[in-house]
Amino acid sequence: MNDRTRGCAGCLVAGVAGATTALLAWAPLARVSVTGGFEDQHRDLSVLYVDLPLVALGGALVPAVAWMLGLRLLDRAWAAALVAVAALGLGVWGLTAWWTPYERPEFMG
């Protein structure tokens, strides 16, 4: 396996692993919007056609770009993998810290 093939394979693995990890971290937060919560008061299906593709795309792009930059700058596959894992971890942390689905207030005013 030459260096170019190894770089492409690593980028592909980083993208697939990143999208999967981002979706698995995002899904519990979006569950209340899909199921509706208590008496279906918080149902918002826009998380499926707006947020789901954006989370999957961001989860795929962040570690893949980090892998490519790490491989180009450091010229070592293991170092690029560490950079991609760190970027994915920071991305998932940022996603779960920042993104919360909209929930209407429980009280009727």
Side-chain angles (χ1 to χ4, degrees), residues 41 104-109:
Q41 292 181 3
R104 289 188 314 234
E106 291 285 337
F107 59 88
M108 300 294 277

Side-chain angles (χ1 to χ4, degrees), residues 3-86:
D3 289 339
R4 185 174 177 94
T5 306
R6 187 177 308 135
C8 290
C11 186
L12 180 66
V13 168
V16 169
T20 303
T21 304
L23 287 174
L24 288 175
W26 168 83
L29 297 174
R31 182 179 56 85
V32 72
S33 293
V34 176
T35 61
F38 180 70
E39 293 182 353
D40 289 339
Q41 292 181 3
H42 301 291
R43 184 170 290 236
D44 180 19
L45 295 179
S46 70
V47 297
L48 296 177
Y49 57 85
V50 175
D51 298 341
L52 176 78
L54 291 175
V55 168
L57 182 66
L61 287 179
V62 167
V65 168
W67 168 269
M68 289 188 312
L69 287 175
L71 195 59
R72 183 169 293 231
L73 295 175
L74 302 173
D75 201 30
R76 300 273 188 253
W78 62 268
L82 287 177
V83 169
V85 167

Side-chain angles (χ1 to χ4, degrees), residues 76-97:
R76 300 273 188 253
W78 62 268
L82 287 177
V83 169
V85 167
L88 177 61
L90 287 172
V92 167
W93 171 76
L95 171 71
T96 56

